[in-house]
Amino acid sequence: MSSGNQRVAFYHKGFELPNPLQAEQFHLTTFYAALDTERERAEARTQDEQLVRTRNAQALHQRDGRIRELNVRLARLNSAEEGLYFGRLDDAGGETLHIGRIGLHDADYEPLLVDWRAPAARPFYVATAVANEGVVRRRHIQTRLRTVIDVQDEHLDLDREAPDASKPGTGVMGEAVLLAALNARRTGRMESIVQTIQADQDRIIRSELPGILVVQGGPGTGKTAIALHRAAYLLYTHREQLEKRGILVVGPNPAFLRFIGEVLPSLGEEGVRLVTVAELMPGLTATRPEDAESAEVKGRAVMAEVIAKAVADRQWVPERPIQVTVDRTVLRLDPAYCADVRARVRERHLTHNQARPFFLTEIVDHLTDQYADLIGADPLGGENLLDEYDLAELRKEVLAEPAVQALLDQLWPLLGPQRLLEDLYGDEDRLALAAPQLSVLDREHLLRYGDDWSPSDVPLLDEAAELLGDDGRDAAREKAARARAIAYAQGSLDVLTGSASTDFDDEDESEVLTARDILDAGMLAERYEAEDDRTLADRAGADRRWTYGHVIVDEAQELTPMAWRAIARRCPLRSMTMVGDVAQTGAVGGGTSWEGALGPTFGDRWRLAELTLNYRTPAEVMELAGDVLRAVDPRAKAPHSVRSTGVKPWHADIAAADQAAYVQKVAAEETQHGQVGVITSRSRLELVQEAVSQLSDVTVLSAAGAKGLEFDSVLVVDPDGILIESPRGLRDLYVALTRCTQRLGVVGPLPEVLHSSTAWDARR
């Protein structure tokens, strides 16, 4: 397990108890003692830092920074409390490596426990009898709290060491820990899989940081868990590179984000922001329901051209000359002049709002020159009688005229993305001008009134924000806050000056140093500016222009071309991991192939990894789901299930009027097996939710809302409704059927694709 002279973190074997459970309990106790020592040390240092008292702003900032670092360290230590130690490797030379959630050292800083993400720990996940990487035995340790409850050994050098059945807890049982985890009851939250990462998953987790990695995996292949553990691995391996920029994780819906929300904190990582596409714009709530047709139009790549044209159309050139009156003097603005100025300003290649001052300056100067020519003309035919001062005053007068201000706003308005889209969506003429390439029906799908937003609007707002640039509001707020701070500081200095002693002669007073002699109000305000102590996720979430060190997208097949453009802006280095299954695409604007989904934004600059083993869904259920998958794509191949439960899916042909009551009864019964997911058509969603509202451990979702989730038992209600509600209803039905880990029931009339299946339990 070691190579060359590189030091590898091995725990000295020393005295080993003959009973594996006792031996591993000894090690576990040692590791928890080291964890407690580290935690006590961090807590003591935190308390010491909190006792530091200083009036020096820089010293306070440094102290607060140390406290934040200690709190992060404490959080990582606390996250390792459950499942601290879970793996052990023995090599041919008699050395032993202990693997856990974090790395720990003894009092002499000798390694005790190796972090699962360290290179030395990799053989625990990838070593086989054929390629054992020097490992002769891999041991899985299962614990509950601080007690070892089971030990499972895999002997990877069978010619050298055969299993000894006389020793408790030994034997070639490598799959036992994995199967125990797969068969365990769900809690409603995704759990970490550090103890059961498989070799195919580990290769993806440890894949290199640069570039775009696409992970194609069917239901139950663990792609979500892989993506999250990859985030933890990258933060560990490239911490200096990623710590300042963080990692963005984009999920399909809020329920999914709640489901996965505890995984990374349990691995000791906090520098990650979890969002849906609807949450990419800071301060914007995008929850308005929307029909699939409108969402599909908004997601098309051509909408980038539409938004760009909508911005350009707001840089207006009048068709006829415009007259404006300043103090009873009529000034004229010709279309040709406006077009010429617009062309020159556009050549600067600035955003709309950045270019606006240059355009306004030329227009105001032009009007001022006209004004000066009219009122400053020499009656005798000489040069203009106005000097530079007069011209400056005239310019102020022109600029202050309300009619001129209204004209300038019409010619080149200051725009925010919300205003741009509100004006576009609410005006048929604007839409026709900006989107001539769209059909009349497509434009009707865009037409609406109001200022509420749907998730599919967010990428368009982001596109608009990119083209418009800063509208100056944030800068104005910062300037106002700065002015208030300086005014307050000036007041403090005035108080100090007013309170100074007057018992001095003039010569003595000149020798006394005062606060005013050392700093002014601006310096004083700057010294006491509050430090930004927000978390990285909070700071990134408040800044639309924040760029991340790495981006992970789950259910990536659902994203539209416009959504991909918004995400790509947040990672200009194109260091990304995308996981999904193109057979499960439910969104009409989503991709049915990775080439089609990624090509418009990323071309062919991505690499593909495929997962083919299904760890979640029992073989009995996948037999039924496979019938649907073949209807989706006859060439598609379902992932192979690694386990069977012996329980076939069942069907109850219940009439629509009786379904809610039936589901209430059956769902209550199914809770004895664990978490229950009821997945139904959108038309039955509220009715079924109301029917089971009094049941705990039961969640009711649409097929789209169930993306990425899993339950012990699943009831699919109204499968025919799921099928016909969407142009991609077959894919939605495939998703619904593959959410269970143990049991599946289908309630309601069957569509043809399921009716002829041989996978049903004939006894029900």
Side-chain angles (χ1 to χ4, degrees):
M1 287 184 288
S2 57
S3 59
N5 296 321
Q6 183 179 3
R7 178 179 175 84
V8 181
F10 286 107
Y11 179 72
H12 179 64
K13 188 170 184 179
F15 175 71
E16 186 77 10
L17 295 170
N19 184 299
L21 284 173
Q22 294 176 350
E24 298 308 337
Q25 183 62 59
F26 171 80
H27 295 313
L28 183 67
T29 302
T30 301
F31 300 148
Y32 271 113
L35 179 69
D36 291 340
T37 299
E38 284 287 314
R39 193 154 40 200
E40 290 166 4
R41 184 182 294 121
E43 288 172 347
R45 288 184 58 194
T46 301
Q47 291 174 0
D48 290 344
E49 293 290 353
Q50 289 172 339
L51 293 175
V52 172
R53 295 290 182 267
T54 176
R55 293 179 179 272
N56 184 280
Q58 183 176 0
L60 282 172
H61 173 54
Q62 293 172 345
R63 181 204 67 180
D64 291 344
R66 291 191 297 268
I67 291 174
R68 282 194 295 271
E69 290 176 1
L70 287 167
N71 286 335
V72 169
R73 173 65 176 161
L74 270 172
R76 287 185 179 141
L77 294 171
N78 290 333
S79 71
E81 176 66 31
E82 182 65 25
L84 173 64
Y85 170 46
F86 58 81
R88 163 178 166 165
L89 296 175
D90 295 321
D91 75 356
E95 291 183 303
T96 299
L97 176 67
H98 299 276
I99 300 163
R101 285 181 174 268
I102 61 172
L104 291 172
H105 297 78
D106 63 16
D108 297 322
Y109 289 95
E110 290 296 319
L112 287 174
L113 191 65
V114 174
D115 193 298
W116 67 275
R117 297 167 287 188
R122 190 168 187 268
F124 182 77
Y125 299 108
V126 301
T128 65
V130 176
N132 63 18
E133 303 200 17
V135 177
V136 298
R137 181 174 65 180
R138 172 169 50 214
R139 174 169 287 177
H140 300 267
I141 298 97
Q142 291 181 271
T143 63
R144 183 179 297 121
L145 300 178
R146 296 191 171 197
T147 302
V148 176
I149 60 173
D150 195 15
V151 171
Q152 304 289 343
D153 285 349
E154 291 178 84
H155 295 275
L156 304 180
D157 187 358
L158 300 183
D159 293 332
R160 172 186 175 89
E161 181 179 359
D164 185 352
S166 66
K167 294 182 179 180
T170 63
V172 184
M173 302 171 62
E175 295 181 357
V177 176
L178 172 63
L179 292 177
L182 295 176
N183 289 320
R185 290 177 61 148
R186 274 21 191 186
T187 63
R189 295 275 189 171
M190 177 176 278
E191 306 288 341
S192 162
I193 63 166
V194 289
Q195 302 179 42
T196 58
I197 294 171
Q198 301 300 294
D200 60 334
Q201 299 172 331
D202 184 78
R203 281 191 290 272
I204 295 171
I205 290 170
R206 296 176 191 265
S207 182
E208 60 186 7
L209 174 65
I212 299 173
L213 172 64
V214 178
V215 182
Q216 162 64 35
T221 52
K223 52 189 177 292
T224 296
I226 289 170
L228 295 173
H229 287 71
R230 175 161 168 74
Y233 169 78
L234 292 176
L235 284 167
Y236 173 87
T237 308
H238 305 279
R239 192 167 300 280
E240 184 175 348
Q241 183 176 347
L242 296 178
E243 200 166 39
K244 293 181 180 179
R245 305 310 308 171
I247 291 179
L248 175 68
V249 176
V250 182
N253 53 60
F256 173 84
L257 296 184
R258 290 191 295 271
F259 177 63
I260 68 170
E262 297 302 320
V263 174
L264 286 167
S266 76
L267 296 173
E269 298 298 346
E270 300 284 351
V272 178
R273 183 180 176 224
L274 277 65
V275 299
T276 65
V277 170
E279 298 167 312
L280 287 176
M281 287 286 287
L284 183 73
T285 301
T287 57
R288 183 176 62 83
E290 185 170 48
D291 60 80
E293 292 79 9
S294 295
E296 188 274 328
V297 174
K298 292 177 181 179
R300 295 178 192 173
V302 73
M303 288 302 297
E305 300 175 18
V306 173
I307 298 300
K309 185 65 165 58
V311 172
D313 289 344
R314 302 305 291 270
Q315 299 161 7
W316 181 62
V317 171
E319 295 179 359
R320 293 183 294 275
I322 294 178
Q323 292 183 341
V324 61
T325 302
V326 177
D327 192 23
R328 293 176 293 181
T329 302
V330 178
L331 307 178
R332 176 187 172 99
L333 200 57
D334 292 325
Y337 180 79
C338 292
D340 183 55
V341 174
R342 183 179 69 175
R344 288 200 303 273
V345 171
R346 283 179 173 177
E347 288 176 356
R348 293 176 177 267
H349 301 293
L350 300 172
T351 65
H352 173 87
N353 290 331
Q354 287 176 325
R356 184 174 187 264
F358 296 99
F359 179 84
L360 300 193
T361 295
E362 290 211 36
I363 297 297
V364 171
D365 287 347
H366 179 68
L367 294 175
T368 301
D369 290 342
Q370 282 188 51
Y371 197 14
D373 288 343
L374 291 171
I375 69 171
D378 185 350
L380 301 178
E383 293 184 358
N384 195 292
L385 301 176
L386 303 178
D387 57 19
E388 291 297 325
Y389 176 80
D390 296 326
L391 289 174
E393 291 300 308
L394 285 182
R395 192 179 194 283
K396 291 178 183 178
E397 187 178 346
V398 169
L399 195 56
E401 174 59 46
V404 172
Q405 285 290 331
L407 175 61
L408 296 177
D409 285 339
Q410 186 178 14
L411 292 171
W412 199 298
L414 184 67
L415 291 171
Q418 286 95 327
R419 180 184 166 189
L420 179 80
L421 257 65
E422 286 171 21
D423 292 347
L424 180 65
Y425 288 162
D427 191 318
E428 291 185 44
D429 293 335
R430 285 191 191 279
L431 271 173
L433 191 62
Q437 64 273 64
L438 296 182
S439 68
V440 174
L441 181 59
D442 286 341
R443 292 200 294 269
E444 286 179 359
H445 285 309
L446 297 177
L447 192 64
R448 70 169 183 83
Y449 305 95
D451 58 357
D452 53 338
W453 304 104
S454 69
S456 58
D457 287 322
V458 172
L460 304 188
L461 289 165
D462 193 69
E463 188 82 21
E466 195 72 12
L467 296 174
L468 293 172
D470 184 15
D471 61 7
R473 294 174 187 174
D474 290 341
R477 282 192 290 268
E478 292 177 6
K479 184 177 180 180
R482 172 73 175 165
R484 288 193 297 271
I486 290 176
Y488 184 85
Q490 185 62 57
S492 300
L493 291 174
D494 292 343
V495 169
L496 288 173
T497 301
S499 302
S501 174
T502 58
D503 297 334
F504 295 108
D505 294 330
D506 289 342
E507 291 184 2
D508 294 336
E509 184 176 3
S510 65
E511 297 178 0
V512 176
L513 194 64
T514 68
R516 285 180 178 274
D517 298 317
I518 301 173
L519 75 175
D520 59 19
M523 296 170 61
L524 181 61
E526 183 176 345
R527 176 168 294 188
Y528 284 93
E529 281 183 359
E531 294 294 332
D532 190 348
D533 59 355
R534 294 174 297 172
T535 66
L536 182 142
D538 289 338
R539 285 184 283 120
D543 185 355
R544 190 195 67 84
R545 291 166 294 185
W546 187 280
T547 57
Y548 296 85
H550 193 78
V551 171
I552 291 174
V553 184
D554 206 331
E555 302 294 342
Q557 76 281 352
E558 300 295 333
L559 268 62
T560 65
M562 289 304 297
W564 280 122
R565 288 175 64 89
I567 289 173
R569 287 188 195 98
R570 285 152 177 81
C571 192
L573 294 178
R574 299 296 190 264
S575 175
M576 307 174 81
T577 302
M578 307 165 185
V579 301
D581 178 15
V582 290
Q584 297 185 59
T585 304
V588 179
T592 55
S593 72
W594 290 116
E595 291 80 6
L598 304 178
T601 305
F602 304 106
D604 59 356
R605 299 184 300 277
W606 48 275
R607 61 190 190 275
L608 180 69
E610 294 192 62
L611 296 167
T612 59
L613 294 178
N614 186 336
Y615 299 100
R616 176 183 67 218
T617 317
E620 295 84 353
V621 173
M622 281 309 298
E623 182 183 353
L624 179 67
D627 293 334
V628 179
L629 179 60
R630 282 185 289 275
V632 170
D633 183 356
R635 300 166 300 174
K637 187 176 180 180
H640 173 70
S641 293
V642 301
R643 67 192 176 101
S644 297
T645 60
V647 180
K648 286 191 170 187
W650 57 265
H651 168 239
D653 191 1
I654 306 299
D658 301 323
Q659 284 176 7
Y662 182 82
V663 169
Q664 180 186 38
K665 172 179 174 294
V666 176
E669 295 171 355
E670 288 292 324
T671 56
Q672 66 181 306
H673 302 291
Q675 295 284 324
V676 179
V678 181
I679 304 174
T680 185
S681 58
R682 292 191 298 272
S683 62
R684 304 282 173 85
L685 193 62
E686 291 186 9
L687 184 65
V688 175
Q689 284 176 332
E690 183 178 353
V692 302
S693 60
Q694 301 303 312
L695 298 178
S696 59
D697 297 332
V698 178
T699 304
V700 182
L701 298 158
S702 66
K707 282 273 171 65
L709 305 183
E710 61 182 38
F711 306 90
D712 297 288
S713 298
V714 167
L715 300 176
V716 177
V717 181
D718 188 23
D720 206 38
I722 293 174
L723 186 63
I724 65 177
E725 278 183 341
S726 167
R728 294 184 174 172
L730 275 171
R731 297 169 187 267
D732 288 341
L733 185 57
Y734 181 58
V735 170
L737 294 173
T738 55
R739 298 304 96 195
C740 70
T741 65
Q742 303 293 334
R743 302 164 60 83
L744 173 67
V746 179
V747 179
L750 292 177
E752 183 60 33
V753 69
L754 294 179
H755 190 74
S756 58
S757 176
T758 60
W760 296 110
D761 185 350
R763 296 169 298 171
R764 186 124 181 181

